[in-house]
Amino acid sequence: MRIVGELINASRKKIRDDIKEKNAEVIAKVAQDQVDHGADFIDVNAGIFVGKEADYVKWLIRTVQGAVDVPCCIDTPDPKVLEEAVKEHKGTPMLNSISLETDRYNNMIPILRGTDMKVIALCMSDEGMPYTKDDRMKIADKLVNNLVKNDVKLENIFVDPLVQPIGSGDHFGREFLNTIEAIHNKYEGIHTICGLSNISYGIPKRKFANQTFMTMAITKGLDSAIMNPLDEGMMAKIIATETLLGKDPFCEKYMEAYREGKFETKKS
Amino acid sequence: MRIVGELINASRKKIRDDIKEKNAEVIAKVAQDQVDHGADFIDVNAGIFVGKEADYVKWLIRTVQGAVDVPCCIDTPDPKVLEEAVKEHKGTPMLNSISLETDRYNNMIPILRGTDMKVIALCMSDEGMPYTKDDRMKIADKLVNNLVKNDVKLENIFVDPLVQPIGSGDHFGREFLNTIEAIHNKYEGIHTICGLSNISYGIPKRKFANQTFMTMAITKGLDSAIMNPLDEGMMAKIIATETLLGKDPFCEKYMEAYREGKFETKKS
């Protein structure tokens, strides 16, 4: 499982203040904590600071890369901010995100073309959110084919089918899961990713529901997630699910997690 | 999800004593408790009493049917015991179980032929336990086709692909899960069933692993289980998984389970 650590996001009050005050030590620690708990990428988002976003994102990238060895996932809808941020980043970052929305698509392609950067590809078009698996696959097919035509490798594409709340439609979980499966069946080597906490919006026991849904999504092929790696219950669930799926030779990671007490606090 | 309550089994010391002493009140209560917690069938097993099995099983059936309205799942490998037990049972029971092992198969077919009884069909042959999905499907195909030729309806067949411990082979979870999926894809209306606790044999945190594996199996199509319905953590997991799969209109069962506090004690 590839984990994109989601904590350095200015929509979180505490982080917003830390960014504003340029508390490099705090940001470095949040990056380090996430890596220590299994993050493979560190998402950096300063989208809330209108007019100052580029400066803040570049500072975040410098601060994170000064602290940890994993790449950033640069999280902005603004192509100008993105261009500056990509230049600031050492090595190849992940970009969050492209979609089939005309403006976003047209702005992102020149930045991505022929590079080795990884990119999150949202199943979203000018027609808005997709509802069914077929809606999602129509968007995914266009996006993936266009990216490949623009010399983006399949293994650098992370398709996000977008999770919608089960409370607003019984079928939303199933349509999402079936999309994950269909994408992996169709495109060998591609990745799927999501931030799945939306699934439980509006229902109680959200952590419990989210963890259960994570197990379901991994069972259908999900191989990456945007999440809080410090959520021990969720990380334990991911380890167990991958072990039971046969992705953990000799149950080594499972046994290591057990010895480290990672399965102990799992009241979900 | 169809639940076969597994608690009335003479291999359990307490139940063995209760059967020997014909404690009808205790057996009736164990049956009632299981039904109250969601059992659709009550497994009855007195296999440990050599020579007296038929008498004890018939007594168990009378006692269970005197207490609850759900059918029994008659659990014996002995065809003579089974014949007597079927006669004792009011209405149509479930039989546990037929397999492709020559003796068991030949003995079971005349009992099942043309009836409306439900039957658990184990993916086991004279060659022993299957290891891969393909091994399992070869056995399942023969068993299902032969049962159908003998006028057993597809919807009365509950295929058990047999779970093997993940600790003795990384692939055992995956092969089982892929068999569940393949059976449902191939035979519309058929059921799949298992007792899945074997998956965690030899590894720690068995309850946690079993619950995770249940979610995975349901995601692949598993629609029945032989289990302890008084295991609240497991039952909560099943409810949440089915809700997230879209099998719970308006999240009604999920909300009901929440209001009843079923998600509260779920340290797994």
Side-chain angles (χ1 to χ4, degrees):
Chain A
M1 197 76 176
R2 283 165 188 76
I3 309 286
V4 179
E6 69 182 5
L7 294 180
I8 303 181
N9 190 313
S11 66
R12 301 174 68 223
K13 173 80 175 71
K14 174 76 178 68
I15 293 291
R16 179 157 66 244
D17 295 343
D18 290 325
I19 295 174
K20 220 190 275 178
E21 293 157 20
K22 296 212 169 169
N23 279 333
E25 220 171 295
V26 173
I27 296 296
K29 186 175 181 320
V30 177
Q32 187 67 58
D33 280 349
Q34 293 186 92
V35 171
D36 290 346
H37 285 80
D40 301 292
F41 299 88
I42 300 294
D43 194 87
V44 288
N45 177 312
I48 211 159
F49 297 106
V50 182
K52 292 183 169 180
E53 187 185 353
D55 281 345
Y56 282 136
V57 166
K58 286 191 287 181
W59 175 77
L60 283 175
I61 290 170
R62 282 195 303 276
T63 308
V64 169
Q65 293 207 298
V68 297
D69 280 335
V70 307
C72 291
C73 176
I74 305 172
D75 185 1
T76 174
D78 184 330
K80 281 174 199 141
V81 172
L82 193 59
E83 265 182 286
E84 289 192 48
V86 164
K87 278 181 205 148
E88 187 73 35
H89 191 277
K90 295 172 208 148
T92 47
M94 178 183 275
L95 307 191
N96 187 2
S97 53
I98 193 170
S99 74
L100 213 60
E101 296 158 291
T102 308
D103 279 355
R104 191 189 289 224
Y105 177 83
N106 289 337
N107 288 324
M108 287 291 290
I109 285 292
I111 299 174
L112 278 164
R113 188 181 292 130
T115 73
D116 202 34
M117 293 192 278
K118 299 176 194 311
V119 64
I120 297 175
L122 301 181
C123 288
M124 174 91 92
S125 70
D126 291 327
E127 289 155 48
M129 285 283 278
Y131 287 98
T132 64
K133 183 197 85 173
D134 291 344
D135 290 348
R136 288 171 160 87
M137 286 307 290
K138 268 182 212 157
I139 301 173
D141 284 340
K142 277 191 199 164
L143 253 178
V144 171
N145 289 329
N146 287 353
L147 283 166
V148 169
K149 269 187 223 155
N150 281 282
D151 294 325
V152 177
K153 295 182 196 125
L154 267 189
E155 59 263 36
N156 283 334
I157 303 173
F158 291 68
V159 179
D160 181 343
L162 296 175
V163 174
Q164 285 151 296
I166 193 78
S168 59
D170 304 333
H171 59 294
F172 280 145
R174 192 176 57 227
E175 298 293 338
F176 172 86
L177 294 168
N178 290 342
T179 307
I180 294 283
E181 186 171 44
I183 286 168
H184 285 287
N185 284 343
K186 192 155 185 179
Y187 301 104
E188 210 188 315
I190 207 166
H191 299 285
T192 49
I193 194 165
C194 69
L196 60 63
S197 59
N198 249 353
I199 192 71
S200 62
Y201 182 78
I203 63 169
K205 303 304 277 182
R206 292 193 64 178
K207 276 195 164 191
F208 173 66
N210 292 346
Q211 288 178 18
T212 304
F213 197 62
M214 179 65 89
T215 293
M216 297 166 76
I218 295 172
T219 304
K220 288 289 200 176
L222 183 78
D223 62 23
S224 313
I226 308 170
M227 58 172 282
N228 173 8
L230 276 62
D231 178 345
E232 293 188 343
M234 183 62 94
M235 291 300 277
K237 226 35 191 174
I238 291 172
I239 292 167
T241 304
E242 294 208 297
T243 298
L244 294 167
L245 262 188
K247 296 184 173 181
D248 176 18
F250 306 105
C251 304
E252 264 184 30
K253 284 184 195 167
Y254 186 93
M255 294 306 298
E256 185 188 331
Y258 169 68
R259 281 190 300 267
E260 290 174 356
K262 287 184 179 169
F263 296 149
E264 290 313 311
T265 56
K266 304 301 121 20
K267 190 168 188 306
S268 53
Chain B
M1 198 76 175
R2 283 165 189 77
I3 310 286
V4 179
E6 70 183 6
L7 295 179
I8 303 181
N9 189 315
S11 67
R12 301 175 67 223
K13 173 78 175 72
K14 175 74 179 69
I15 293 290
R16 179 156 67 243
D17 295 343
D18 290 324
I19 294 174
K20 220 190 272 177
E21 293 158 21
K22 296 213 169 168
N23 279 333
E25 221 170 295
V26 173
I27 296 297
K29 186 175 181 319
V30 177
Q32 186 68 58
D33 280 350
Q34 293 186 91
V35 171
D36 290 346
H37 285 79
D40 301 293
F41 300 88
I42 300 294
D43 194 87
V44 288
N45 177 310
I48 212 161
F49 296 107
V50 182
K52 291 181 169 181
E53 187 185 355
D55 281 345
Y56 282 136
V57 165
K58 286 192 286 180
W59 176 78
L60 282 175
I61 291 171
R62 282 195 302 276
T63 307
V64 168
Q65 292 207 298
V68 297
D69 280 336
V70 307
C72 291
C73 176
I74 305 172
D75 185 1
T76 174
D78 184 330
K80 282 174 197 141
V81 172
L82 192 60
E83 266 184 283
E84 289 192 48
V86 165
K87 279 181 202 150
E88 188 74 34
H89 192 278
K90 294 173 207 146
T92 47
M94 178 183 276
L95 306 191
N96 186 2
S97 52
I98 192 169
S99 74
L100 212 61
E101 295 158 292
T102 309
D103 280 354
R104 191 190 288 226
Y105 178 82
N106 289 336
N107 288 325
M108 287 292 290
I109 285 291
I111 299 174
L112 278 164
R113 188 180 291 131
T115 73
D116 203 33
M117 293 191 281
K118 298 176 195 311
V119 63
I120 296 175
L122 302 180
C123 287
M124 174 90 93
S125 71
D126 292 326
E127 289 154 47
M129 285 283 279
Y131 287 97
T132 64
K133 183 197 84 171
D134 291 344
D135 291 347
R136 288 170 161 87
M137 286 307 288
K138 270 183 210 155
I139 302 174
D141 284 339
K142 278 192 197 163
L143 253 178
V144 170
N145 288 329
N146 287 353
L147 283 166
V148 169
K149 269 186 219 153
N150 281 282
D151 293 326
V152 177
K153 295 181 197 128
L154 266 189
E155 58 262 36
N156 284 335
I157 302 173
F158 291 68
V159 179
D160 182 344
L162 296 175
V163 174
Q164 284 150 295
I166 193 78
S168 59
D170 304 334
H171 58 296
F172 280 145
R174 190 177 58 225
E175 298 293 338
F176 172 87
L177 295 168
N178 289 342
T179 308
I180 295 283
E181 186 172 44
I183 287 169
H184 285 288
N185 284 343
K186 191 154 184 180
Y187 301 105
E188 208 187 316
I190 208 166
H191 300 284
T192 48
I193 194 166
C194 69
L196 59 64
S197 59
N198 248 355
I199 192 70
S200 62
Y201 182 79
I203 62 170
K205 302 304 276 182
R206 294 195 63 180
K207 276 196 164 192
F208 173 66
N210 292 346
Q211 288 178 18
T212 304
F213 198 61
M214 179 65 90
T215 293
M216 297 168 76
I218 295 173
T219 303
K220 287 288 201 176
L222 183 78
D223 63 22
S224 314
I226 308 171
M227 59 171 283
N228 172 10
L230 276 63
D231 178 345
E232 294 187 341
M234 183 61 94
M235 290 300 278
K237 228 32 192 175
I238 292 172
I239 292 167
T241 305
E242 295 208 297
T243 298
L244 294 166
L245 262 189
K247 295 185 173 181
D248 176 18
F250 305 106
C251 304
E252 264 185 30
K253 284 184 195 168
Y254 186 94
M255 293 307 298
E256 187 188 328
Y258 169 67
R259 282 190 300 266
E260 290 174 357
K262 287 183 179 168
F263 296 148
E264 289 313 311
T265 56
K266 301 303 118 24
K267 188 168 190 310
S268 51

